Amino acid sequence: MNESEIICRFLDAELCVHPNVLQELTKWKDPSEIVEKLIKSAENNGSIITPDAVRALDCEVIVKKGKRRLAEEYETEITLRDVSKDSPRKGNIEGFVEHFNSRYEKGVKVFKERPNLVDSMTVSQVLESKGKSEIKVIGLVESVRKSKKGNTIIMVEDPTGIIPVVILNADRELVELSRSIVADDVISVEGVTGSREGEIVIAKSLSLPDVPFSMASSPREEPLAIALISDIHVGSFEFMEKEFTRFLKWLNCELGSKRQQELAQRVKYLVVAGDLVDGVGIYPGQIDDLTIKDIYEQYSRLSKLIEMVPDYMEIIISPGNHDATRQAEPQTPIFEDFAPDLYSNPMVHMVGNPCYASLHGTSVLIYHGRSMDDIISKVPGNSYSSPDKAMLNLIKKRQLVPIFGEKVPVSPGSEDCLFIDKVPDILHCGHVHTTGVLNYRGVTLINSGAFQSQTEFQKKLNMQPDPGKVPVFDISTRNTTIMKFA
Ligand code: D5M
Ligand code: FE
Ligand code: ZN
């Protein structure tokens, strides 16, 4: 019903309508129901429909329901780059060689954007430089160890050779920095060569590819927001269905304070970073922890919940280690046969893990975050209680899976598509079931927690999840609000 249709309907009923009421009515998706109610209520109450008449009818609830949400007024702007499709995967030794060569090349490219590293040398050039001289070199870390005297030795290699880089114990600042360096990091070293038993480099400074200062693209004017979730674990005994339903109600602007509902009506995008269902056969004894033991039924239940998301939103779904797709990263999207109802939902975009999504000009790098288990257990100073700080390692190293050969299986390809070649506005992870938000040089690092309470396994490990929270990123202010549903 448009404005003139509304006026005509009231005129037919021999009624006039106050301009403020008319203005309100035209904002509603389908005002016909309320127009009829107003006509009926006016039968004994005079001939003008006033704002008071609307209030007297107590139809503000209907008003809210029928009203077009702010996010509905905006056309979708979405582009996806699913890196699992970037380069062919090769599961052989040659594939791994190409993969790590590509990691090195991508690292060099980032470093060479810095004016002071344009003239960096190759390892063989360093080995050939005679006597004591100042050098700059970029390479992959082959290993990190302590010498007998307690100095740190990092073996740095590139396609031309390998050289030990020594960090003297006295250099406390550099020692501290080196504690976060792991094998296969791409690093740059500035130092001096010293030759006693073969060439070595004494490091003066070390750096990771990192993020340039002031990377942030200019914020958008649209008053839209992105809600970020992960680790729903439908099918698990610990899936928090009540809290998840509260989240869905909030998305529908049916729950929360006025301010919270104002935020809800600006949500245009919902991003899900993996572990949608609990899956089957993920860990020994899991069967005893499942309320839904059939994976098809788990996805079917999840799809029903996802259908409750308002229809003007776009939903991007990326898999995690509990989902039905290959386990090696980059992961392909959840297989269609397991989740047909997600594939047939027109609001849903099924992508791989990781994936770059540009949502109204805001770039989101979605990665489930399995590598964070290794970061937290191997790199000093990281913990499950600060997932955002653990994510700092990923963005500084510009690598989603820094540690190879531990918890995360990697599918090698001619390109290392786990290297972060485009710095995103948001890096979104899940997996560790704790929530955290951190701003780093214009990049917002967000871990979206979970909708699963503590499992038996996590109890044994004394892991404390922090479930039922949803970070919501405002694209115009770049602020993140954490909504709590637990
Ligand atoms: O993982 C949720 C968190 O719990 C993540 O940090 C790993 C840890 N976790 C859960 N189950 C296991 C097992 N069986 N071994 C080691 N670590 C585990 P999620 O991917 O949701 O299971
Ligand atoms: Fe999970
Ligand atoms: Zn996980």
Side-chain angles (χ1 to χ4, degrees):
M1 252 183 151
N2 61 27
E3 192 176 302
S4 58
E5 284 166 340
I6 297 171
I7 296 173
C8 286
R9 180 68 194 99
F10 280 123
L11 284 178
D12 283 347
E14 299 183 342
L15 290 167
C16 292
V17 59
H18 189 283
N20 288 356
V21 174
L22 186 64
Q23 198 189 2
E24 271 299 300
L25 287 174
T26 52
K27 286 185 195 158
W28 302 345
K29 234 192 221 165
D30 180 15
S32 53
E33 185 189 347
I34 183 112
V35 166
E36 295 312 318
K37 280 200 173 189
L38 288 167
I39 290 172
K40 212 153 179 245
S41 76
E43 274 168 8
N44 323 312
N45 292 327
S47 57
I48 299 179
I49 307 288
T50 59
D52 278 345
V54 176
R55 255 170 253 132
L57 232 192
D58 195 23
C59 51
E60 296 203 49
V61 181
I62 310 170
V63 172
K64 270 203 180 130
K65 272 206 154 172
K67 204 167 173 178
R68 279 173 73 87
R69 315 282 188 228
L70 202 53
E72 213 170 337
E73 308 289 336
Y74 293 85
E75 286 294 322
T76 301
E77 270 183 47
I78 177 166
T79 44
L80 300 166
R81 183 185 141 212
D82 194 339
V83 303
S84 65
K85 299 187 180 127
D86 267 12
S87 68
R89 302 285 106 200
K90 285 186 192 167
N92 53 11
I93 291 180
E94 192 192 319
F96 279 107
V97 173
E98 285 178 15
H99 185 91
F100 284 100
N101 278 338
S102 159
R103 181 181 293 197
Y104 165 75
E105 300 288 345
K106 288 185 180 212
V108 169
K109 190 158 171 261
V110 173
F111 277 125
K112 294 257 177 171
E113 278 160 16
R114 294 190 202 166
N116 66 322
L117 287 173
V118 173
D119 58 346
S120 66
M121 301 156 89
T122 62
V123 170
S124 70
Q125 284 170 333
V126 177
L127 288 167
E128 283 154 20
S129 64
K130 295 276 177 287
K132 265 203 171 183
S133 59
E134 304 268 338
I135 63 96
K136 297 173 193 172
V137 66
I138 301 166
L140 267 185
V141 173
E142 189 254 359
S143 61
V144 186
R145 62 183 171 86
K146 288 278 179 195
S147 74
K148 277 186 204 135
K149 289 181 189 159
N151 297 317
T152 306
I153 302 186
I154 303 179
M155 297 299 293
V156 175
E157 67 178 334
D158 74 0
T160 69
I162 182 161
I163 192 164
V165 171
V166 180
I167 293 156
L168 298 174
N169 230 343
D171 195 340
R172 297 317 300 169
E173 208 176 304
L174 219 48
V175 170
E176 192 49 42
L177 177 62
S178 72
R179 277 154 47 91
S180 67
I181 306 283
V182 295
D184 305 320
D185 277 342
V186 191
I187 60 168
S188 74
V189 179
E190 292 185 46
V192 290
T193 54
S195 51
R196 262 198 311 187
E197 308 133 21
E199 291 293 341
I200 57 164
V201 172
I202 312 288
K204 284 187 184 166
S205 75
L206 279 184
S207 58
L208 290 164
D210 219 318
V211 177
F213 288 99
S214 66
M215 256 318 282
S217 50
S218 35
R220 296 280 295 234
E221 280 174 10
E222 292 89 340
L224 299 176
I226 306 170
L228 305 120
I229 60 170
S230 59
D231 301 271
I232 313 171
H233 290 270
V234 170
S236 157
F237 265 113
E238 288 84 12
F239 165 48
M240 296 162 63
E241 179 147 3
K242 198 177 95 219
E243 289 76 2
F244 194 69
T245 308
R246 282 166 61 80
F247 161 63
L248 292 170
K249 284 212 168 115
W250 170 75
L251 269 189
N252 280 283
C253 306
E254 288 166 17
L255 196 85
S257 65
K258 195 159 175 248
R259 261 183 70 186
Q260 290 167 334
Q261 293 196 22
E262 259 165 27
L263 180 60
Q265 66 155 314
R266 297 197 285 119
V267 177
K268 182 75 183 168
Y269 302 96
L270 172 63
V271 184
V272 193
D275 284 0
L276 284 90
V277 298
D278 209 53
V280 291
I282 307 292
Y283 58 86
Q286 187 194 16
I287 192 91
D288 300 327
D289 194 37
L290 293 177
T291 50
I292 307 175
K293 297 185 198 295
D294 179 319
I295 190 153
Y296 293 93
E297 281 176 31
Q298 292 178 0
Y299 278 112
S300 156
R301 178 78 198 111
L302 170 86
S303 305
K304 286 271 171 302
L305 292 165
I306 292 291
E307 275 166 25
M308 287 159 70
V309 174
D311 60 5
Y312 53 82
M313 289 190 194
E314 301 288 330
I315 309 166
I316 295 102
I317 294 184
S318 171
N321 52 306
H322 284 250
D323 285 302
T325 182
R326 77 153 177 240
Q327 287 298 299
E329 296 180 7
Q331 289 182 285
T332 41
I334 294 167
F335 297 134
E336 188 169 353
D337 349 353
F338 289 87
D341 299 342
L342 289 178
Y343 276 86
S344 61
N345 183 333
M347 301 143 65
V348 172
H349 304 260
M350 300 296 280
V351 300
N353 170 42
C355 180
Y356 288 86
S358 167
L359 310 174
H360 252 90
T362 300
S363 60
V364 187
L365 173 52
I366 310 158
Y367 171 59
H368 180 58
R370 211 171 170 183
S371 66
M372 285 203 292
D373 285 330
D374 289 331
I375 292 281
I376 290 168
S377 69
K378 308 250 177 252
V379 181
N382 292 291
S383 72
Y384 282 107
S385 56
S386 303
D388 45 331
K389 294 206 184 75
M391 287 169 70
L392 257 185
N393 286 273
L394 310 186
I395 199 78
K396 286 185 181 180
K397 292 173 192 284
R398 298 281 289 263
Q399 176 55 245
L400 294 172
V401 186
I403 298 174
F404 175 73
E406 294 290 332
K407 287 261 175 68
V408 192
V410 169
S411 168
S414 47
E415 228 188 274
D416 176 5
C417 49
L418 300 165
F419 189 92
I420 305 173
D421 43 18
K422 292 232 160 33
V423 178
D425 295 313
I426 300 173
L427 172 59
H428 173 203
C429 294
H431 184 63
V432 292
H433 295 205
T434 45
T435 313
V437 177
L438 183 69
N439 256 296
Y440 178 68
R441 298 189 183 176
V443 183
T444 308
L445 308 171
I446 299 179
N447 197 296
S448 50
F451 275 96
Q452 187 189 37
S453 58
Q454 194 184 43
T455 62
E456 279 304 314
F457 176 82
Q458 290 163 346
K459 205 180 271 174
K460 279 182 208 146
L461 282 194
N462 200 21
M463 279 173 77
Q464 290 294 341
D466 168 29
K469 294 183 178 172
V470 177
V472 182
F473 181 88
D474 182 324
I475 69 164
S476 61
T477 63
R478 290 176 172 266
N479 287 335
T480 308
T481 306
I482 297 186
M483 293 293 302
K484 299 182 181 127
F485 300 96

